[in-house]
Amino acid sequence: MNDQHTLENELLTVLSNSLKNFELIVTEEQQQRLIRYVLMMHKWNKTYNLTSVRDPHQMVIKHIVDSIVVAPFLDKIHYIDVGTGPGLPGIPLAIMCPDKQFTLLDSLGKRVRFMKQVAYELKIDNIKPVQSRVEDFVPSVETDGVLSRAFASLKDMLHWCQHLVDSQGVFIAFKGQLSSDELKGLPVGFILQETIKLDVPGLEGERHIVKIKKQSVG
């Protein structure tokens, strides 16, 4: 138990040091919940193989900080996180944005069970983990935005997720290095709204978010 407490303090230090480098208000309670989520992911990962990142210190940077930097850009209410895996970026964003609702979609039952346990233990009531393939899922409420951290290409994301929002909704894709060819090659009916370069302290490589909308008909 003592080792667990030591690890928790170490991870809190990693997170708080990273947060010094950018303007994002994260309360002490939010920081503690984010780290408890990392500890749960680390524990379950040994059995369920939830993420390829094994070191919890790396999880803080690669999973938590990399997710929460997007929080200031979420200006609507209902979001769906497709291919969320163990709940990324949806769970960190739900902790950061308690006024917003997140549907977390994954096709693997073990990941959905993990997310439900996280919601229960950390008392996160603004997430809804759902086991479904993205192409089969029909939202029960109007979705304002689709979050994607998992899709290899924008083209694939738009192909599989186009039914999830109407022309009022937005697709928000997490990308590393941006390819101008990929941005120019968006499918017909979609327009690039903006690209935003993010500075993620401690993360190697580039990080961008790409916002895409459907073209309005008429």
Side-chain angles (χ1 to χ4, degrees):
M1 192 66 180
N2 210 18
D3 288 348
Q4 178 85 345
H5 188 63
T6 302
L7 178 58
E8 187 171 352
N9 285 334
E10 285 177 10
L11 299 180
L12 278 165
T13 301
V14 172
L15 179 58
S16 62
N17 285 342
S18 183
L19 292 173
K20 289 174 187 171
N21 296 313
F22 60 99
E23 294 177 17
L24 188 63
I25 296 169
V26 190
T27 67
E28 197 172 308
E29 185 201 358
Q30 285 171 326
Q31 289 186 45
Q32 287 172 347
R33 290 169 99 192
L34 289 166
I35 294 308
R36 284 183 64 198
Y37 169 54
V38 169
L39 290 170
M40 287 186 70
M41 201 163 18
H42 179 53
K43 179 182 172 185
W44 280 58
N45 210 28
K46 294 167 186 172
T47 307
Y48 290 91
N49 198 28
L50 298 170
T51 166
S52 60
V53 180
R54 298 291 173 194
D55 178 5
H57 301 79
Q58 287 293 311
M59 286 180 187
V60 173
I61 301 298
K62 292 184 175 178
H63 287 336
I64 302 303
V65 178
D66 189 43
S67 293
I68 65 176
V69 291
V70 178
F73 303 98
L74 303 184
D75 54 1
K76 301 285 177 60
I77 300 297
H78 291 280
Y79 290 89
I80 178 165
D81 177 11
V82 295
T84 186
L88 297 162
I91 288 177
L93 287 171
I95 291 171
M96 290 294 298
C97 309
D99 57 326
K100 304 184 192 311
Q101 300 292 323
F102 296 87
T103 299
L104 310 180
L105 206 62
D106 201 272
S107 60
L108 285 184
K110 64 181 181 180
R111 292 175 182 158
V112 174
R113 284 193 295 278
F114 169 71
M115 290 187 283
K116 287 181 175 177
Q117 189 64 26
V118 170
Y120 173 72
E121 287 192 28
L122 303 189
K123 297 180 172 55
I124 304 173
D125 58 10
N126 58 330
I127 62 171
K128 181 183 176 184
V130 176
Q131 182 179 354
S132 174
R133 289 158 60 94
V134 63
E135 62 268 34
D136 298 332
F137 181 69
V138 180
S140 57
V141 296
E142 193 170 295
T143 305
D144 298 313
V146 175
L147 302 170
S148 166
R149 194 169 176 261
F151 277 92
S153 73
L154 295 174
K155 193 173 181 181
D156 283 349
M157 178 193 73
L158 297 171
H159 173 69
W160 294 113
C161 304
Q162 59 183 314
H163 65 289
L164 297 175
V165 295
D166 59 19
S167 60
Q168 301 304 307
V170 65
F171 299 88
I172 301 175
F174 289 52
K175 301 291 286 183
Q177 203 166 0
L178 281 185
S179 155
S180 57
D181 287 347
E182 189 178 13
L183 294 175
K184 287 175 190 166
L186 294 181
V188 173
F190 296 94
I191 49 173
L192 178 64
Q193 197 174 20
E194 64 177 324
T195 61
I196 303 162
K197 190 169 194 274
L198 299 175
D199 180 26
V200 184
L203 188 73
E204 292 177 16
E206 296 182 6
R207 173 55 88 199
H208 297 82
I209 56 175
V210 179
K211 296 173 82 171
I212 298 167
K213 293 195 81 164
K214 283 183 177 177
Q215 285 181 309
S216 299
V217 179

